Amino acid sequence: MAVARHETGPFATVSALASQVHPVFMLPPLATSLFGGLLSGGFWPPVAVLHAGAMFFAVYTAHVKDGYVDFHVRGEDDDHPLTGAGCRMALVGAGVGFALCTAAIWLLVGPGAALLTLPTWIIGYTHAPQLDMNPVGATMGYPAGIALALLGGYYAQVTTLTPRAVGLAAVFLLLLTGIKIIDDEQDYDYDRSIQKRTVAVVLGHQRARQLALGLFGVALLGIVGLSVALPGIPPSAAAAAVVFGTVAAIAQRGDPETATMLLIRGSYLLLAVLVTAIWFRPLA
């Protein structure tokens, strides 16, 4: 069975499979999962690694399925490194990896942690072609996965959810939804031609951008509010809102591609500031 489309041999197979690991989209779920464990205050490395592993396989599933549908089913992409059979093999392998990680979480922590982990794989597998053709699914699938990564990483450590975990998950959901709205502006003409109803297609460029900026504003106010109202989030965490707000102010003047690039990096900075504030508590 051929796995790679362009070359043969073990190296070509490994290279084609590895091509579906996109660091820009893969690292945030893993980092957020670990951040959730850190936020819980009961960090146990084996469980943290298992949950991060489950997130890896869930996102890998999404990447492979999206590429399979776009190239082999819809014919939208010009090229893809995996054959159809290779995509199916990769999906089975990722599914097995996710199942093993989730089963281990069940055994070490309990069924609640496993059940909170499961939806991330469902979102990844159904992203294409089910979720990506409507505004809510196309825009909020990845942000919802990030929010679940935080909640699952937190719950897997302490078997409960608290207002600070839910609040920060909501912040990430809003921020990343806004970024995805702007990201989808890049494909406006093509999405409209195939009747793919992204937020940009439904609302138009200007109103979609205004909605994204509004989501950023609510999320950043949420960070400030959480840092003031909840003892588990130190006041220094509010600096994360300042950092991302500065990046967003610069990005909103740019075209969709430039704005998305800046905002994604801004989200990395926001997470770094939150981790620093919670780990070191400089103003606590």
Side-chain angles (χ1 to χ4, degrees):
M1 178 185 68
V3 173
R5 289 187 62 245
H6 303 298
E7 299 178 20
T8 59
F11 180 80
T13 296
V14 172
S15 179
L17 293 171
S19 70
Q20 300 307 290
V21 179
H22 306 304
V24 170
F25 297 102
M26 182 67 77
L27 290 176
L30 304 187
T32 308
S33 167
L34 296 173
F35 174 63
L38 174 66
L39 184 68
S40 72
F43 196 81
W44 187 26
V47 169
V49 170
L50 284 169
H51 191 267
M55 296 305 98
F56 171 86
F57 288 117
V59 179
Y60 187 81
T61 295
H63 290 165
V64 174
K65 184 78 179 297
D66 188 54
Y68 173 76
V69 170
D70 286 349
F71 181 76
H72 292 285
V73 178
R74 293 173 177 166
E76 295 178 7
D77 291 345
D78 296 328
D79 195 13
H80 191 66
L82 292 170
T83 63
C87 289
R88 290 188 288 272
M89 186 190 79
L91 286 172
V92 171
V96 170
F98 181 87
L100 290 174
C101 289
T102 305
I105 291 171
W106 184 311
L107 291 173
L108 290 175
V109 182
L115 290 174
L116 193 53
T117 303
L118 180 60
T120 60
W121 181 86
I122 295 174
I123 291 172
Y125 188 80
T126 59
H127 171 72
Q130 289 85 5
L131 297 179
D132 70 343
M133 294 300 289
N134 67 83
V136 175
T139 306
M140 298 189 71
Y142 183 75
I146 294 289
L148 286 168
L150 190 154
L151 293 175
Y154 189 101
Y155 188 94
Q157 296 291 340
V158 292
T159 63
T160 190
L161 292 177
T162 61
R164 61 178 175 174
V166 175
L168 286 175
V171 164
F172 281 107
L173 179 66
L174 292 173
L175 281 177
L176 293 173
T177 297
I179 294 174
K180 188 63 168 65
I181 289 172
I182 294 174
D183 180 41
D184 284 340
E185 289 182 34
Q186 299 180 65
D187 301 318
Y188 174 84
D189 292 330
Y190 181 76
D191 289 342
R192 188 177 181 185
S193 72
I194 64 169
Q195 298 181 332
K196 186 174 181 178
R197 290 170 52 79
T198 64
V199 172
V201 170
V202 173
L203 297 181
H205 286 294
Q206 184 174 358
R207 287 195 294 169
R209 184 65 69 97
Q210 290 172 346
L211 175 59
L213 294 175
L215 292 174
F216 294 155
V218 173
L220 298 183
L221 287 174
I223 293 176
V224 175
L226 290 171
S227 70
V228 171
L230 297 180
I233 301 177
S236 55
V242 176
V243 170
F244 187 88
T246 301
V247 174
I250 298 171
Q252 64 92 18
R253 303 187 185 96
D255 59 85
E257 182 178 2
T258 302
T260 300
M261 178 190 68
L262 290 172
L263 290 167
I264 289 175
R265 284 153 180 78
S267 68
Y268 294 164
L269 291 174
L270 179 141
L271 180 58
V273 173
L274 287 176
V275 169
T276 301
I278 290 170
W279 183 266
F280 295 104
R281 296 180 174 269
L283 299 180

